[in-house]
Coordinates of all heavy atoms in Angstrom, one line a residue:
A33 N 108.3 99.8 110.7 CA 108.8 99.2 112.0 C 107.6 98.9 112.9 O 106.7 99.7 113.0 CB 109.8 100.1 112.7
M34 N 107.6 97.8 113.6 CA 106.8 97.5 114.7 C 107.6 97.0 115.9 O 108.6 96.4 115.7 CB 105.8 96.4 114.3 CG 104.8 96.8 113.2 SD 103.4 95.6 113.0 CE 102.4 96.1 114.4
G35 N 107.2 97.3 117.1 CA 108.0 97.0 118.2 C 107.2 97.1 119.5 O 106.0 97.4 119.6
W36 N 108.0 97.0 120.6 CA 107.5 97.0 121.9 C 108.4 98.0 122.7 O 109.6 97.9 122.7 CB 107.6 95.6 122.5 CG 106.6 94.6 121.9 CD1 106.9 93.8 120.8 CD2 105.2 94.4 122.3 NE1 105.8 93.1 120.5 CE2 104.8 93.4 121.3 CE3 104.4 95.0 123.2 CZ2 103.5 93.0 121.4 CZ3 103.1 94.5 123.3 CH2 102.7 93.5 122.3
Y37 N 107.7 98.8 123.5 CA 108.3 99.6 124.5 C 107.8 99.2 125.9 O 106.8 98.5 126.0 CB 108.0 101.1 124.2 CG 108.7 101.8 123.1 CD1 108.3 101.4 121.8 CD2 109.7 102.6 123.2 CE1 109.0 101.9 120.7 CE2 110.3 103.2 122.1 CZ 110.0 102.9 120.9 OH 110.6 103.4 119.8
R38 N 108.4 99.7 126.9 CA 107.9 99.4 128.3 C 108.2 100.6 129.2 O 109.2 101.3 128.9 CB 108.5 98.1 128.8 CG 110.0 98.2 129.2 CD 110.4 96.8 129.6 NE 111.9 96.8 130.0 CZ 112.6 95.7 130.3 NH1 112.0 94.5 130.3 NH2 113.9 95.8 130.5
Q39 N 107.4 100.8 130.2 CA 107.6 101.8 131.1 C 107.3 101.2 132.6 O 106.2 100.9 132.8 CB 106.7 103.0 130.9 CG 107.0 104.2 131.7 CD 106.3 105.5 131.2 OE1 105.3 105.4 130.5 NE2 106.8 106.6 131.7
A40 N 108.4 101.3 133.4 CA 108.2 100.8 134.7 C 107.9 102.0 135.6 O 108.2 103.2 135.2 CB 109.6 100.2 135.2
P41 N 107.3 101.8 136.8 CA 107.0 103.0 137.6 C 108.2 103.8 137.9 O 109.2 103.3 138.3 CB 106.5 102.2 138.9 CG 106.0 100.9 138.4 CD 106.9 100.5 137.4
G42 N 108.0 105.1 137.7 CA 109.0 106.1 138.0 C 110.1 106.2 137.0 O 111.2 106.8 137.2
K43 N 110.0 105.4 135.9 CA 111.0 105.4 134.9 C 110.5 105.9 133.5 O 109.2 105.9 133.4 CB 111.6 104.0 134.7 CG 112.4 103.5 135.9 CD 113.1 102.2 135.6 CE 114.0 101.7 136.8 NZ 114.7 100.5 136.5
E44 N 111.4 106.2 132.6 CA 110.9 106.7 131.3 C 110.6 105.5 130.5 O 111.1 104.4 130.7 CB 112.0 107.5 130.6 CG 112.3 108.8 131.3 CD 113.2 109.7 130.5 OE1 113.8 109.2 129.5 OE2 113.4 110.9 130.9
R45 N 109.8 105.7 129.5 CA 109.4 104.6 128.5 C 110.7 104.3 127.7 O 111.4 105.2 127.3 CB 108.3 105.1 127.5 CG 107.8 103.9 126.7 CD 106.6 104.4 125.9 NE 105.4 104.8 126.8 CZ 104.2 105.1 126.3 NH1 104.0 105.0 125.0 NH2 103.2 105.5 127.1
E46 N 111.0 103.0 127.5 CA 112.2 102.5 126.8 C 111.8 101.6 125.7 O 110.9 100.8 125.9 CB 113.2 102.0 127.8 CG 112.7 100.7 128.5 CD 113.8 100.1 129.4 OE1 114.9 100.5 129.4 OE2 113.5 99.0 130.0
L47 N 112.6 101.5 124.7 CA 112.5 100.5 123.6 C 112.9 99.1 124.2 O 114.0 99.0 124.8 CB 113.3 100.9 122.4 CG 113.3 99.9 121.3 CD1 112.0 99.8 120.7 CD2 114.4 100.2 120.3
V48 N 112.1 98.1 124.0 CA 112.4 96.8 124.3 C 112.9 96.1 123.1 O 114.0 95.5 123.1 CB 111.2 96.0 124.8 CG1 111.5 94.6 125.2 CG2 110.7 96.7 126.1
A49 N 112.2 96.1 122.0 CA 112.6 95.5 120.7 C 111.8 96.0 119.6 O 110.6 96.4 119.8 CB 112.4 93.9 120.8
D50 N 112.3 96.0 118.5 CA 111.5 96.4 117.3 C 112.1 95.6 116.1 O 113.1 95.0 116.1 CB 111.5 97.9 117.0 CG 112.8 98.5 116.7 OD1 113.8 97.8 116.5 OD2 113.0 99.8 116.7
A51 N 111.2 95.6 115.0 CA 111.5 94.8 113.9 C 111.0 95.6 112.7 O 109.9 96.1 112.6 CB 110.9 93.4 113.9
T52 N 111.9 95.7 111.6 CA 111.5 96.3 110.4 C 110.7 95.4 109.5 O 110.8 94.2 109.7 CB 112.6 96.9 109.6 OG1 113.4 95.8 109.2 CG2 113.5 97.8 110.6
R53 N 110.1 95.9 108.5 CA 109.4 95.1 107.6 C 110.3 94.1 106.8 O 109.9 93.0 106.5 CB 108.6 96.0 106.5 CG 107.6 95.2 105.7 CD 106.8 96.1 104.8 NE 105.7 95.4 104.1 CZ 104.6 95.1 104.6 NH1 104.3 95.5 105.8 NH2 103.7 94.4 104.0
G54 N 111.5 94.6 106.6 CA 112.5 93.7 105.9 C 113.1 92.7 106.8 O 113.9 91.8 106.3
G55 N 112.8 92.7 108.1 CA 113.3 91.6 108.9 C 114.4 92.0 110.0 O 114.8 91.2 110.7
S56 N 114.9 93.2 109.9 CA 115.9 93.6 110.8 C 115.3 93.8 112.2 O 114.2 94.3 112.3 CB 116.5 94.9 110.4 OG 117.2 94.8 109.1

Side-chain angles (χ1 to χ4, degrees):
M34 295 193 76
W36 295 91
Y37 287 71
R38 69 185 181 187
Q39 188 167 19
K43 295 188 177 181
E44 293 187 354
R45 190 175 296 190
E46 62 174 359
L47 175 69
V48 177
D50 63 12
T52 67
R53 190 173 189 85
S56 298

